[in-house]
Amino acid sequence: VEGVEERYDIEARAAHEFPASTTMGIPLDAQAALRTLLAERFNLKVRIEVQRRPIYELVMHREDGRLGQNLKPSKGGCRSAFQREPVNTALINVKPADGEPQPLPPCLLGIGPMGISTTNMPMTDLVRILGMRPEVNTTVIDRTGLTGNFDFTIGGAPEPMGPIKPLLESQLGLTLRPAEGPVEILVIESIDHPTEN
């Protein structure tokens, strides 16, 4: 029935321990276990469909290709925030295998109402952050031609940051260009009430 919402608490035990989650979410094998649980207990059937939809392309804003003052090539020294592998943080310490070097610490990533700030991030990860902004809320594709990783700050003023496009243009030298392109859509084919324990 349209408008009806049901919520469930799910408790499940796995046969083995999964690696720690990262900023990318739960590990791939934990995702597979969760999909299996939803398929078995809720009879959930889904498919991925690719549809052409409105998107944005992230492109250079200035004709001369100059970067904005808040976008600088990174010197590295940390793991980009969206790397899937477990990284050492204040909460999780992953001991390297014998003979393996200690992993680099995670790069700082701050996303809030006042701004966005990070270090050592490729453009392919920046577009993911932009796509999650409420005023964008769609797929963003990197068309800047910029390679390597960058340090950047957007916003930073005493007031909330406001619309993202003018800040990208003035602070990073980038802009969002409306376009149309393939977007992956998750289609729910069927779902039932959960089975009893």
Side-chain angles (χ1 to χ4, degrees), residues 37-50:
L37 180 137
L38 292 172
E40 289 176 358
R41 298 296 302 276
F42 288 82
N43 197 27
L44 176 65
K45 292 182 181 137
V46 298
R47 72 176 190 278
I48 301 282
E49 214 173 78
V50 177

Side-chain angles (χ1 to χ4, degrees), residues 62-138:
R62 299 170 177 161
E63 286 186 20
D64 61 7
R66 272 186 314 120
L67 302 180
Q69 63 180 3
N70 289 5
L71 180 64
K72 297 180 173 43
S74 180
K75 294 178 182 166
C78 60
R79 285 185 172 204
S80 181
F82 281 99
Q83 285 187 337
R84 236 181 220 288
E85 300 87 348
V87 295
N88 287 349
T89 69
L91 300 176
I92 302 166
N93 289 296
V94 180
K95 186 177 178 204
D98 289 341
E100 296 269 326
Q102 183 70 29
L104 291 171
C107 301
L108 298 176
L109 171 61
I111 301 175
M114 309 308 273
I116 303 169
S117 182
T118 193
T119 54
N120 202 31
M121 181 172 278
M123 289 292 118
T124 51
D125 286 347
L126 172 56
V127 294
R128 296 170 74 168
I129 291 173
L130 295 176
M132 291 185 274
R133 295 280 307 171
E135 72 267 36
V136 177
N137 194 30
T138 191

Side-chain angles (χ1 to χ4, degrees), residues 25 31 34 93 101 138 181 196:
Q31 289 180 29
L34 181 58
N93 289 296
T138 191
E196 292 295 328

Side-chain angles (χ1 to χ4, degrees), residues 7-8 52 59-60 66 84 106 122 130 139 142 155 160 196:
R7 295 176 181 264
Y8 299 93
R52 287 195 68 77
V59 297
M60 302 303 293
R66 272 186 314 120
R84 236 181 220 288
L130 295 176
T139 300
D142 172 30
E196 292 295 328

Side-chain angles (χ1 to χ4, degrees), residues 137-153:
N137 194 30
T138 191
T139 300
V140 180
I141 296 174
D142 172 30
R143 297 274 191 248
T144 61
L146 297 174
T147 58
N149 291 4
F150 293 84
D151 301 342
F152 67 85
T153 301

